[in-house]
Amino acid sequence: MNFNHLYYFRELAQLENYTEASKKLLISQPSLSYAMKKLESNLDVPLFEKRGRNVGLTVYGQELKKATDEVFAILTNTLEQINQQKNNQMNTLKIGLVPTLASNFFPEIMYNGKLSGKLTQNFDLFNGFTNQIIANLAKEKYDIGICSKEDRDDFVFIPIKKQPFVLLINQVLYDSLIKSKGNWFDYPLVTYRDAIPIGRSARSIIHSYTDQPNIVAEFDDETFIGGYVDVNPCVALVAKTPFLKQFQLVTIPLDEENIYHTVYLTYLKKNAHLQKIQPICELLQAASDFL
């Protein structure tokens, strides 16, 4: 059965006049007549009967009109939902970010942007490690990322946030050795895994303080590192992030101007929606620690 024939039928059933219906449908009257005869032939029942210059629905026609009204109403509603979903997706930014910037830095950017009217988009936020964020950006599942830097020529990396490195020291260890004034890097050390970008940065810093570090444990984030140091007599090199607030540990700052981990705004160079991401990129750069 031809879908167009059902559409033509519905218009003719409403107008009850071939001339008016053909004008509205932008087809010739013979074409409309042929379509209705074809539809009646397929159903093997009469759908219309002549009523002077007009036509009226037969019993079969009334049943078909009721069905087509319901079908077209469902179809119209579905098409509207699809368009609405499409518009929402076009106005929604998907952003992958490392957890340490999800608790305060980025929410503040969003709030200030919405408040000032510089941001009108909605956001879908996804926490993850840098390798996960980069992978999803490459697959175009995310629009932008906020994470560490990887060696990728197909990405733009813009530094936006400094996370100073600090030493976390177990309280018992600190109390027993505070008077010795030795090199804290000579004690058992905990830091990030060497396989992640911040871990490689941490290794470089550690080796600048000691030639033979005694690294006893490696983790992915500050929560695991802080929890380990809390119950073990050791020292940790870790980035100063909001996650450290949950621990009552001795914190010794290093040279914040020169010893820090960098977090980047990143996106694909061939991003198909550069105009879409421009407002949030401008706000992130305006709040950058590297101005």
Side-chain angles (χ1 to χ4, degrees):
M1 185 178 295
N2 192 310
F3 181 82
N4 284 340
H5 291 175
L6 291 175
Y7 181 70
Y8 297 163
F9 164 80
R10 186 165 176 265
E11 290 298 327
L12 180 58
Q14 290 177 342
L15 296 174
E16 298 183 338
N17 184 281
Y18 272 92
T19 301
E20 293 181 13
S22 61
K23 287 181 180 179
K24 185 173 181 181
L25 291 168
L26 300 177
I27 61 174
S28 67
Q29 186 171 329
S31 295
L32 178 59
S33 297
Y34 171 80
M36 293 304 96
K37 288 179 181 179
K38 190 70 174 176
L39 183 59
E40 289 178 328
S41 176
N42 288 338
L43 295 173
D44 197 25
V45 293
L47 298 174
F48 294 97
E49 56 187 11
K50 292 186 66 68
R51 294 179 182 173
R53 295 182 178 180
N54 294 333
V55 293
L57 291 170
T58 65
V59 173
Y60 305 112
Q62 291 173 5
E63 288 297 317
L64 183 59
K65 183 178 183 301
K66 180 180 178 181
T68 54
D69 284 344
E70 292 176 356
V71 169
F72 278 94
I74 294 172
L75 181 60
T76 300
N77 184 57
T78 300
L79 292 175
E80 289 176 353
Q81 290 178 357
I82 291 173
N83 285 329
Q84 182 65 41
Q85 184 177 359
K86 177 183 176 182
N87 292 334
N88 288 341
Q89 289 178 344
M90 288 299 295
N91 196 43
T92 299
L93 282 177
K94 294 183 178 180
I95 300 176
L97 68 164
V98 290
T100 53
L101 269 67
S103 60
N104 53 10
F105 176 73
F106 191 77
E108 289 176 6
I109 299 294
M110 288 175 54
Y111 175 77
N112 292 333
K114 293 280 189 180
L115 193 65
S116 64
K118 294 180 180 179
L119 288 180
T120 58
Q121 294 145 313
N122 299 315
F123 297 91
D124 283 341
L125 305 180
F126 303 90
N127 282 347
F129 295 116
T130 293
N131 62 337
Q132 298 169 327
I133 293 170
I134 295 296
N136 283 315
L137 284 169
K139 296 175 184 176
E140 299 187 13
K141 292 183 178 181
Y142 298 164
D143 294 298
I144 67 170
I146 302 174
C147 57
S148 298
K149 185 177 182 180
E150 289 195 347
D151 187 16
R152 296 285 298 255
D153 293 334
D154 52 340
F155 279 81
V156 174
F157 288 96
I158 302 171
I160 57 170
K161 189 68 178 174
K162 294 180 179 179
Q163 293 179 330
F165 277 102
V166 297
L167 291 178
L168 290 185
I169 305 175
N170 175 273
Q171 186 68 56
V172 175
L173 177 64
Y174 181 82
D175 291 341
S176 64
L177 299 173
I178 184 59
K179 294 182 181 180
S180 67
K181 297 182 180 180
N183 182 359
W184 289 112
F185 286 90
D186 290 335
Y187 295 97
L189 289 171
V190 181
T191 192
Y192 304 95
R193 288 189 305 110
D194 196 23
I196 60 178
I198 194 171
R200 294 190 285 272
S201 297
R203 287 301 189 292
S204 177
I205 295 168
I206 290 171
H207 283 287
S208 71
Y209 281 91
T210 181
D211 293 331
Q212 295 181 320
N214 178 20
I215 298 176
V216 296
E218 301 172 320
F219 298 101
D220 284 324
D221 60 45
E222 298 78 25
T223 298
F224 282 110
I225 294 173
Y228 188 92
V229 175
D230 198 29
V231 296
N232 290 281
C234 59
V235 178
L237 179 68
V238 66
K240 186 180 180 181
T241 73
F243 289 161
L244 299 182
K245 294 179 180 179
Q246 60 188 300
F247 302 108
Q248 299 297 319
L249 295 169
V250 178
T251 303
I252 297 180
L254 300 176
D255 182 359
E256 292 195 7
E257 289 298 318
N258 299 299
I259 303 177
Y260 56 83
H261 173 64
T262 303
V263 181
Y264 295 81
L265 159 67
T266 183
Y267 54 86
L268 276 171
K269 288 181 179 178
K270 294 184 179 180
N271 191 312
H273 306 292
L274 289 178
Q275 188 173 1
K276 175 182 174 182
I277 68 174
Q278 184 178 357
I280 187 62
C281 289
E282 290 178 350
L283 285 172
L284 286 166
Q285 290 178 261
S288 171
D289 293 335
F290 292 88
L291 294 177

